Amino acid sequence: MSRSKLIDYYIEKSQSPDFQIDQIRKELEPNNIPEEDIRAIVKLVDNHILNNAFTKNSKNRSTELIIAGAILALLGVGITIATYTGLINLGDNFLVVYGPFFGGVSMLFGGLAQRKNSNPKIRLKRKKFDL
């Protein structure tokens, strides 16, 4: 079996909850796979597992940023509109609350950019090892 097929096999196998990374070495050593290949396969499968964990964490964090940014921006707009229309009475004055608005908008766009950039890069690493 070629290295790329072995990598695909172990990446698929790594999705099961009872998978242990040391299983790869235990299964490949009796089949006389060269040590260099075993190291490369273990490294790529480990990178895939870590990328998946990082991607999940990153998507959760980006979602939190997007929600918090939207709430903060809406709060700024809401206070500004409330003081302008007289719902919050300040006499002849009104507030333009731009700090929370621009802060919220920047958090919102930061979360969107973070979500866009959190794609796994396992395919690029495979090319690096000439697989």
Side-chain angles (χ1 to χ4, degrees), residues 8-93:
D8 289 338
Y9 170 74
Y10 284 111
I11 284 175
E12 185 177 318
K13 195 172 181 180
S14 72
Q15 304 302 321
S16 72
D18 59 335
F19 177 77
Q20 298 284 327
I21 196 78
D22 62 333
Q23 287 176 334
I24 298 172
R25 184 171 295 280
K26 289 177 184 175
E27 291 177 10
L28 292 178
E29 281 179 344
N31 294 332
N32 295 326
I33 305 291
E35 180 66 25
E36 177 184 309
D37 290 349
I38 293 174
R39 277 192 209 143
I41 292 168
V42 169
K43 186 174 184 176
L44 287 170
V45 172
D46 186 47
N47 285 344
H48 177 76
I49 293 169
L50 291 173
N51 279 337
N52 281 346
F54 178 74
T55 301
K56 285 180 185 177
N57 186 26
S58 182
K59 283 186 179 179
N60 289 341
R61 185 165 183 245
S62 65
T63 301
E64 291 171 358
L65 271 175
I66 291 168
I67 292 170
I71 290 171
L72 197 58
L74 289 174
L75 182 69
V77 168
I79 292 173
T80 300
I81 291 172
T83 60
Y84 183 74
T85 60
L87 293 173
I88 299 175
N89 191 9
L90 295 177
D92 290 338
N93 301 319

Side-chain angles (χ1 to χ4, degrees), residues 98-112:
Y98 60 87
F101 174 74
F102 287 120
V105 169
S106 67
M107 286 174 62
L108 185 113
F109 284 122
L112 290 171

